[in-house]
Each structure stands twice: as C-alpha cells, then as structure tokens.
Amino acid sequence: MGLIQEEEEVRTYTELVKRLEDGLKHFMDVEAERFASAASMFTPPPRAKVSPSRKTWRVAAVDGGSGILSFADIDIGFATALAVIQDGAEYRRQLLQPKLLVQEYGEADGEFGDRVDVERETMLLMLAQKVVRDNDLELLIVDGPLIPRPKYVGEYVYQLRTLIELCRERGILAAGFVKRPQSRYLSELGFTDRALLSAVLEKMEAAPWPPTAPPTEKTDVRYTYIKLLNEPEAGVFRIDFPPFVDDRQALETLEYFAYSSDPVHGPPAILMKADEEVKVSRR
C-alpha cells in the first residue's frame, strides 16, 4: 500500500509540474504577442542621448535599510539610513542610529511592515538633510523617489519637502534614483511596462525629454527614465528631479550617472556602495 501511494504522489507531482509549465508557456506566448503588437504601434516620447561624462563633483548618496525579526508572538522591526560621501578619491560615511519598532497588539503583519518601510524612508530623508548641512556638496543622490509615495503621508512628506527646499537654498543638485520603477508613470507615457521602454530606447538614452511632471500627481517634481544596461538586464531606471533643477542640470546629472554606472547592476557606483553597506538584514 505504501508503494502504491508513493507512485501516486510522484505521478501527481509530475502532472502538476507539466500543467504549470503549460500554463507558463501559454502566458509567455500571449505576452510575447502582446509585446510585439504594442511595440509595432508604439511612438516613444522625445528622447535625449546621454554622453557619459566624468564629473569631479562632491557627491553624496543616501540609502535606507530595514528588517523585521519574528518572535513567538510579535515582530521587532529596525530601520536606519547610511550616507556615502565622495570628495575626490576619499569616501566618508554618515550613519543614523538604528531605530527599533515593536509590533503593536492587533497590528497585522502587513501593516507593521508598511510602518517599518515608512520609518526607513523618513530616516533616509532626515539623514539626507544632515548630510546636506554638514558637507559642501554639488550633487545629492537619494535612493528612491522624490515624487511622494501615495501611501506615505505625515512626517515622511514633511521631511521630503524640507530636503528639497534645503537643497534649493544650498544650490545643491538633487536626484531621486528609482531602481525598480512601478508601471504607474510608464502607463501615463503610453508604455505597458519597462520591457517596452527598454526595447525602444538605446543604451544611454533618456525619455521623456525634457523631464516631465506626472499629470495625475499634485507635485512639480519632474521625472525621466534612462537606460543604463542592455537586455536581458532590467536596465531602465527612473530619475526624479526637484523643480529647481533645470534641463541642463538634469542632463549633466544623467551624464554623471552614465559615467559612474555599475556595469552589472546599473545604478551609479556610489549609490551601489551605500545600498550594500546599509543592508543590515543580511548580517
């Protein structure tokens, strides 16, 4: 009886795998046809060719890190932020003291995870302000958007606006580097997804150009996309610019990104350094 049961389990597993394979193949065939159809009818927005250019700028990149530790009855979250400042050949770091957050009674796991995320992003913006005040910078790179996230309100929005105004007062260029842009703004430009945009852009091209503000958001922050890696990598990234950054300054910032782009991952090397060093959840 045991042998028969084992054979039935094996047959069931094999059949399940086959059905999954058939379903995925059908899905990919449909998506390929849809992509080809969309690409044939697609008219891309105005583009700009970005020439990699070495800049002797004083640059800082700020990233946030967080994680959640699960215990028997509650979760403990932690969040922090780290900045890497480049001045010539030297790198310096500034770090915010990690903050612990305790899951409240009755707080769902998803809600607690969102609260940890908001705390991380708020701390990132607070550290970015300190970096701007403490250093003589020419460019500040923030990991993530400068267009306010829809579900993030209150303190996060206040700190974001304060950072943008501080950079304007100090005459410091600022850019938000979005490594995994969502499709919300792509669809507003007529794209179905990043793959379509990647297919119509050449490496080191940016679109739309000049950067544009999202028509569905109450913000004057502008954005564009730049292709830093060729396929099959996901090499299209969104760059957000505050309203005080003009088109020439935006293009110069993209030239710096193109020159310092990590050849494997795409983002500028200084941002990758901050990203790796703040990943506390891996330690």
Side-chain angles (χ1 to χ4, degrees), residues 190-217:
F191 309 131
T192 54
D193 52 36
R194 273 198 296 166
L196 179 56
L197 178 57
S198 181
V200 299
L201 286 181
E202 299 292 334
K203 187 177 181 181
M204 303 306 173
E205 277 190 334
W209 195 262
T212 184
T216 58
E217 304 286 343

Side-chain angles (χ1 to χ4, degrees), residues 177-202:
F177 197 101
V178 185
K179 296 195 286 286
R180 290 173 291 276
Q182 299 177 349
S183 60
R184 185 159 48 112
Y185 300 130
L186 287 168
S187 61
E188 291 177 353
L189 297 173
F191 309 131
T192 54
D193 52 36
R194 273 198 296 166
L196 179 56
L197 178 57
S198 181
V200 299
L201 286 181
E202 299 292 334

Side-chain angles (χ1 to χ4, degrees), residues 9-129:
E9 289 176 353
V10 171
R11 282 199 301 268
T12 302
Y13 176 73
T14 304
E15 179 65 19
L16 175 60
V17 171
K18 181 179 183 302
R19 292 189 182 190
L20 286 171
E21 289 177 343
D22 291 344
L24 287 171
K25 183 178 183 301
H26 175 72
F27 172 80
M28 293 175 68
D29 289 342
V30 171
E31 286 298 299
E33 292 178 5
R34 183 185 63 82
F35 178 84
S37 175
S40 65
M41 297 183 294
F42 180 70
T43 302
R47 292 172 280 180
K49 187 67 178 177
V50 180
S51 300
S53 176
R54 183 176 182 272
K55 312 287 186 183
T56 56
W57 286 349
R58 296 178 297 277
V59 181
V62 188
D63 200 352
S66 63
I68 295 178
L69 299 176
S70 296
F71 291 87
D73 299 315
I74 62 170
D75 289 345
I76 304 294
F78 50 91
T80 186
L82 178 142
V84 177
I85 302 104
Q86 182 179 17
D87 190 353
E90 296 184 356
Y91 287 97
R92 293 177 287 108
R93 276 81 173 168
Q94 286 186 235
L95 178 69
L96 276 190
Q97 179 69 21
K99 183 175 182 178
L100 296 182
L101 299 94
V102 180
Q103 186 179 23
E104 298 176 355
Y105 178 78
E107 185 177 22
D109 291 345
E111 294 175 348
F112 180 62
D114 289 344
R115 183 155 64 92
V116 173
D117 290 344
V118 173
E119 188 65 40
R120 179 194 65 235
E121 296 304 308
T122 303
M123 293 179 71
L124 184 159
L125 297 172
M126 294 173 65
L127 177 61
Q129 294 172 42

